[in-house]
Amino acid sequence: MTQSNAPLVGQSVPRREDRALVSGKGRFLDDIASPGGLHAAFLRSPYAHARIGTADLEEVRAMPGVVAVYTARDLAALLPGGQRLVTGLPSSSIAFALDRPILPEHETVYVGEALAMVVAETRAEAEDAAEVIDLDLDPLEPVADLENAARHDAPKAHTHLPHNRLARFGFSYGDIAAAFDGAPHVMSRRFRIDRGGAHSMEGRGVLAAPDAMTGRLSVWSSTQTPHALKRHICTLLARDDAEVEVTAPDLGGAFGPKLVTYPEEIAVAAAAQALGRPVRWVEDRREHFLAACQEREQLWTVEMALEADGRIRGLRGTLLHDHGAWTARGLNVPYASGMMLPLMYEVPAYDLDIIVTVTNKTPVTPVRGAGQPQATYVMERLLDAGARACGIDRVEIRRRNLVTPDRMPCERPLKLRSGEPVILDSGDYPRTQATALEGIGWHGFEDRRREARARGKRLGLGLANYVEGTGRGPYETVTIRVARDGRVKVNTGAAAMGQGVGTALAQIVAEHLGRDPSTIDLTLGDTREPYGFGGFNSRQTVVAGASADAAARVVRRKVLQVAAHLLQMPEEGLDIAADRVIVAGSNSGEGLALAEIAAASEGLPGYRLPGIDTPGLQATERVLIEGMAFANGCLAAEVEVDEATGAVHVARLFLAHDCGRMVNPQMVDGQILGGLAHGLGNALYEKMCFDDQAQPLTASLADYLLVTSAEMPVIEIAHTESPSPLNALGVKGVGESGVIPTAAAIASAVEHALEDLGIEISEAPISVQALHAAIRAARPGGPE
């Protein structure tokens, strides 16, 4: 029991989520019992593009254990509210709608698209039956390459489309022509960032169970956004909001692709309602490779104009972004890339043309970073090239161009998606960079590098600065109530994804209501409260934390008002310690239990409420947050490159980081470490490969390389805290910080290790084969 007046916010209290998880008592989707339950499996398209014909399903329906088989036409009767998922964020730049069908009827547009669903007594029986379905598919010409897709004469990813260019928009400010006219240095480069996935330990999954007694439909899904899923189920199944409840159980990772509602979730819910029995579907690993949303595929053609001393005059270019086959989220990823590119540096003129193309590949949504890693990669690569052109140090060119702390809060000539101005709220970017350089030993590195070269080792140092836009609003609901047993109940739309949001909220609430987090009971992702959004964009500690803080303050005031009335004492002389209100500064235990105060707050017939205007010790808050809180950092990386093979070994990473006020520093470190591992994959290992027919070539973990503990380097983290003025807690998000700068910093380090060969890195991830070929080509005499 915590009796101290020391603040809880800022302490590394143990994560309350971990005991159940490490002892095997977690409650994941497959742990939820469903007596009498059925299992679903999906027939998935083997073609990237094909016309859908007919299928004779009588043989399939007669197979052992099969209860039902659904094609698009069969499912249509179960979806009175429509047969398409409208999940894309609105934008006037979108040329045509590409809302995903629950099951397509006439045309399939990527390998792995669900074409039919079988429901059977067991998963094995459902899968066997799905494999037997003989669906007539007539292959059509697919479009696989991002650059080719943007051409006017390219094959159409959907036969009915006028072209593949879903959207064209951009960013422009300043006099870009003047910036480049007569510039002492102009750096022109082309960068490719390849596609990758999230690959959480747990795949997607959904269980829907109808209740014959009440008519309610209960749904459990491994989703980041249970409120959004509930809204889509209610809309498409034409159910009242009160008739559907969605719960997100423990999630074995999420990272973005579980942000959106998927067709499988709607199909399973519709089948359960129609059959009157629970239906479950859990994604296998191959399905995750084929059908879970992906990200990162972009092609940048950009140029930067510089003064002779390295100061930026202007930045312009084109971004081609692969949207995939359907709109699963919208333009948020390319928008974030374009907005982030110049954000933390002084760029007087900027012009970026963004073209979003449709291809016959898996739909794209955010994957940890949502466009920010790509922008950071491009900007930091340009600065390294600019430093070489100007003959100055890579550190110095950044220092001369970083936004300085005296300008905070600093309004930029850019807009958020909402139209609100982009304002860098706080931070000291030059100091963060200096901290990272000191931590990695930047200024004494040349001696070590020369010594290593004498032993045949090629060492290199790299760095990358970044900002992370966090805390996207507009709000998250938090309701706090002191129950009759004296325990504090917290209900919120914030969703747990393994990141420890429950621990953070318990700390924030306990700060005001007794300083003992063990007295706090949490219900996360609560869809009984109609207003909520869930987890994405490193937002929940900011928006849910702000609402929890505000609600806890209201409840604290009510607790003390009732206690003061009952004890006939002034409120100022009372405090809350654990589960009691005590006389401040007293060690006698004099006071009242929260349970007594909660019971009294309900009132008695014919009597006035005890010291309060409304009954109960309860408050609901939705703190509105319009801007974004920008975390920032600088990552320094040390690598060793094997000249004979092209292999890159990352030896050390040092991250100087600022996420505002830290609620729980230990959890902040955990989020950063996970992000760095994800970023390491983006830098060197993770790449979804497709052939010219848009067939995935990396559809298992035998082909797609994930980072393991063996690849993790020595990692050090240094924290600074510049509180955000946008919320009362001063917090910023942290979930994506580690991933954003990693590919850029490692590319910088590899270039440094090979600088005498003149090799430049322009692709992520860096493949061993490509680097080996570049080294051979750069040697005197060219390839052997």
Side-chain angles (χ1 to χ4, degrees), residues 200 249 258 336 384 394 407 437 579 581 587 631 649 660 757 768:
S200 51
K258 292 182 182 179
D384 279 356
R394 292 172 292 166
R407 297 196 57 206
L437 299 179
D579 58 353
V581 170
N587 294 320
H649 168 67
L757 299 178
V768 172

Side-chain angles (χ1 to χ4, degrees), residues 168-291:
R168 187 168 190 170
F169 63 100
F171 295 85
S172 184
Y173 65 79
D175 190 337
I176 197 69
F180 278 84
D181 186 23
H185 300 286
V186 175
M187 313 306 303
S188 299
R189 294 292 187 275
R190 184 178 166 94
F191 300 102
R192 178 178 289 278
I193 294 97
D194 281 309
R195 176 182 283 242
H199 301 288
S200 51
M201 291 180 68
E202 178 200 36
R204 297 176 293 134
V206 60
L207 167 63
D211 188 321
M213 295 279 294
T214 65
R216 290 175 57 83
L217 182 65
S218 296
V219 179
W220 294 264
S221 176
S222 55
T223 179
Q224 299 171 228
T225 55
H227 277 85
L229 175 56
K230 177 177 177 176
R231 286 192 287 269
H232 290 302
I233 290 173
C234 289
T235 297
L236 297 179
L237 273 63
R239 297 293 299 266
D240 184 78
D241 185 78
E243 297 174 343
V244 176
E245 182 176 352
V246 173
T247 301
D250 288 328
L251 269 65
F255 309 124
K258 292 182 182 179
L259 156 66
V260 295
T261 298
Y262 283 87
E264 293 95 336
E265 293 171 298
I266 303 301
V268 166
Q273 177 173 277
L275 298 172
R277 294 173 64 181
V279 179
R280 181 195 309 265
W281 169 73
V282 177
E283 176 183 69
D284 65 27
R285 187 55 56 181
R286 180 172 174 80
E287 286 179 302
H288 183 84
F289 270 99
L290 299 180

Side-chain angles (χ1 to χ4, degrees), residues 171-189 301-308 311-318 341-342 346-353 378-379 382 386:
F171 295 85
S172 184
Y173 65 79
D175 190 337
I176 197 69
F180 278 84
D181 186 23
H185 300 286
V186 175
M187 313 306 303
S188 299
R189 294 292 187 275
T301 304
V302 286
E303 55 183 356
M304 177 184 284
L306 297 165
E307 301 283 7
R311 296 185 189 277
I312 300 171
R313 290 170 59 113
L315 179 60
R316 66 186 177 191
T318 300
L341 188 65
E346 298 288 4
V347 180
Y350 178 48
D351 187 80
L352 184 70
D353 185 26
V378 171
M379 189 67 184
L382 284 171

Side-chain angles (χ1 to χ4, degrees), residues 648 680-687 704-707 711 765-766:
V648 176
L680 195 61
N682 295 340
L684 296 172
Y685 303 107
E686 298 188 46
K687 179 179 179 178
Y704 185 96
L705 302 180
L706 286 177
V707 172
E711 286 75 47
I766 304 169

Side-chain angles (χ1 to χ4, degrees), residues 235-510:
T235 297
L236 297 179
L237 273 63
R239 297 293 299 266
D240 184 78
D241 185 78
E243 297 174 343
V244 176
E245 182 176 352
V246 173
T247 301
D250 288 328
L251 269 65
F255 309 124
K258 292 182 182 179
L259 156 66
V260 295
T261 298
Y262 283 87
E264 293 95 336
E265 293 171 298
I266 303 301
V268 166
Q273 177 173 277
L275 298 172
R277 294 173 64 181
V279 179
R280 181 195 309 265
W281 169 73
V282 177
E283 176 183 69
D284 65 27
R285 187 55 56 181
R286 180 172 174 80
E287 286 179 302
H288 183 84
F289 270 99
L290 299 180
C293 291
Q294 301 166 355
E295 204 213 307
R296 307 225 190 285
E297 191 167 3
Q298 294 182 345
L299 181 63
W300 297 71
T301 304
V302 286
E303 55 183 356
M304 177 184 284
L306 297 165
E307 301 283 7
D309 66 356
R311 296 185 189 277
I312 300 171
R313 290 170 59 113
L315 179 60
R316 66 186 177 191
T318 300
L319 163 60
L320 286 179
H321 174 83
D322 189 342
H323 185 74
W326 294 109
T327 296
R329 186 62 171 171
L331 305 181
N332 59 324
V333 172
Y335 192 98
S337 293
M339 188 189 81
M340 284 292 173
L341 188 65
L343 195 56
M344 71 184 306
Y345 293 103
E346 298 288 4
V347 180
Y350 178 48
D351 187 80
L352 184 70
D353 185 26
I354 301 176
I355 301 170
V356 179
T357 66
V358 183
T359 62
N360 292 116
K361 289 188 282 192
T362 311
V364 164
T365 61
V367 173
R368 202 170 196 170
Q372 297 172 106
Q374 297 96 306
T376 299
Y377 184 88
V378 171
M379 189 67 184
E380 297 297 309
R381 299 277 66 236
L382 284 171
L383 287 170
D384 279 356
R388 290 192 295 271
C390 297
I392 60 177
D393 186 75
R394 292 172 292 166
V395 171
E396 183 60 20
I397 196 171
R398 289 168 168 83
R399 189 191 64 78
R400 293 178 185 180
N401 288 289
L402 282 168
V403 172
T404 52
D406 57 288
R407 297 196 57 206
M408 298 295 180
C410 178
E411 182 169 345
R412 311 299 285 151
L414 297 161
K415 301 289 185 183
L416 298 171
R417 294 199 309 260
S418 64
E420 295 288 326
V422 176
I423 300 174
L424 299 173
D425 54 308
S426 60
D428 187 338
Y429 304 161
R431 184 180 66 165
T432 304
Q433 176 177 286
T435 301
L437 299 179
E438 181 180 356
I440 203 73
W442 187 279
H443 299 294
F445 183 71
E446 283 305 316
D447 291 338
R448 286 204 300 119
R449 189 160 77 126
R450 282 191 293 269
E451 187 272 334
R453 279 299 299 274
R455 294 184 287 106
K457 303 287 187 181
R458 282 187 172 270
L459 302 185
L461 275 187
L463 79 159
N465 290 307
Y466 71 95
V467 289
E468 178 197 0
T470 77
R472 190 178 299 280
Y475 63 86
E476 195 62 70
T477 302
V478 176
T479 296
I480 299 176
R481 176 175 62 90
V482 180
R484 289 181 63 89
D485 62 0
R487 295 191 64 79
V488 179
K489 310 291 184 180
V490 178
N491 291 57
T492 176
M497 302 178 292
Q499 80 281 51
V501 66
T503 298
L505 293 180
Q507 284 183 253
I508 292 167
V509 173

Side-chain angles (χ1 to χ4, degrees), residues 29-104:
L29 185 76
D30 259 349
D31 295 317
I32 300 170
S34 54
L38 303 170
H39 294 262
F42 290 88
L43 170 69
R44 298 191 179 275
S45 175
Y47 297 108
H49 197 191
R51 188 174 290 109
I52 300 172
T54 59
D56 184 357
L57 301 175
E58 292 308 310
E59 178 185 353
V60 179
R61 292 190 171 107
M63 289 183 67
V66 172
V67 175
V69 182
Y70 299 97
T71 63
R73 292 181 181 178
D74 300 312
L75 207 57
L78 310 183
L79 299 171
Q83 299 166 52
R84 289 185 179 270
L85 269 173
V86 183
T87 57
L89 297 170
S91 172
S92 60
S93 300
I94 293 177
F96 40 77
L98 278 181
D99 299 320
R100 288 170 295 166
I102 306 307
L103 294 176

